[in-house]
Amino acid sequence: MRFMRAMALKTDAPLLELLARHVPADAKEREDLERMRAFAAELESPFSRSQPTAHFTGSAVVVDPAGERVVLIHHGKLKRWLQPGGHAEEVDGGSMEASALREAQEETGCQVRLHPSAPRPLDVDVHRIPARKDEPEHLHLDVRYLVIAEDPQALAHDPNESFGAQWLSWAEALQRADEPPLRRMLEKARAAAQGGGAG
């Protein structure tokens, strides 16, 4: 609990600054960004999953060094193909970038780094997480980054988190994307990864 109170004090201003810089790509992202700004200002502990209504999460679009392939994870609980991501931890120090990088490494087994020329964040999204026996329905306020896997051959999924992880072409990944915000994020990632180079 002390960690979550400290996190709130340390991170509200940087989180608000991060969201203030972001430029949304469509009406859904614009609406989600406004909701996230409001939550960032209002929530006592924006990163704590113990809050019943909403909390911030970090996720990553993981690409190979050439920017030609992307990883999708077959999510164990949601049973959908998604980008790696999850809850903030104390080790992240209130940094959404750190959360995204840690989750990407944990869920793919690859060494990852932020893409040097992609926007930070790449994308934001608010999505509803269904109720489970141990927690009520709530919102994930997801801040998303583009990252490069330095060792794509090391790809391995965490069986506690997912049914599998696969390198896919952009066309294959977009075909598996089952909702508009996921396709929007992948389109942004493809443009940045192929247009900006991997550095």
Side-chain angles (χ1 to χ4, degrees), residues 51-127:
Q51 295 193 124
T53 53
H55 46 258
F56 280 82
T57 56
S59 67
V61 182
V62 181
V63 299
D64 67 5
E68 294 175 354
R69 296 180 300 158
V70 61
V71 172
L72 287 184
I73 306 290
H74 195 204
H75 198 281
K77 292 176 180 171
L78 299 177
K79 297 178 174 56
R80 298 173 55 209
W81 287 96
L82 298 168
Q83 76 279 9
H87 296 95
E89 303 289 350
E90 184 172 4
V91 69
D92 304 332
S95 164
M96 298 311 304
E97 291 182 4
S99 295
L101 287 166
R102 178 184 49 75
E103 288 286 340
Q105 187 161 331
E106 288 177 359
E107 294 190 13
T108 67
C110 297
Q111 295 297 314
V112 296
R113 61 184 169 90
L114 289 167
H115 190 284
S117 60
R120 298 179 187 178
L122 177 74
D123 190 80
V124 299
D125 181 65
V126 176
H127 51 270

Side-chain angles (χ1 to χ4, degrees), residues 15 19 36 39-40 43 46-47 54-58 86-88 96 141 143:
L15 180 59
L19 296 173
M36 291 169 79
F39 274 120
L43 291 173
F47 304 105
H55 46 258
F56 280 82
T57 56
H87 296 95
M96 298 311 304
L141 313 170
V143 182

Side-chain angles (χ1 to χ4, degrees), residues 95-167:
S95 164
M96 298 311 304
E97 291 182 4
S99 295
L101 287 166
R102 178 184 49 75
E103 288 286 340
Q105 187 161 331
E106 288 177 359
E107 294 190 13
T108 67
C110 297
Q111 295 297 314
V112 296
R113 61 184 169 90
L114 289 167
H115 190 284
S117 60
R120 298 179 187 178
L122 177 74
D123 190 80
V124 299
D125 181 65
V126 176
H127 51 270
R128 193 167 299 281
I129 301 298
R132 293 193 282 269
K133 62 177 183 289
D134 55 343
E135 60 184 14
E137 180 180 272
H138 61 281
L139 298 176
H140 275 185
L141 313 170
D142 201 34
V143 182
R144 300 158 159 190
Y145 293 86
L146 180 61
V147 308
I148 298 167
E150 298 180 338
D151 52 351
Q153 72 283 357
L155 180 66
H157 79 287
D158 177 353
N160 295 317
E161 295 287 340
S162 67
F163 296 121
Q166 289 183 13
W167 283 111

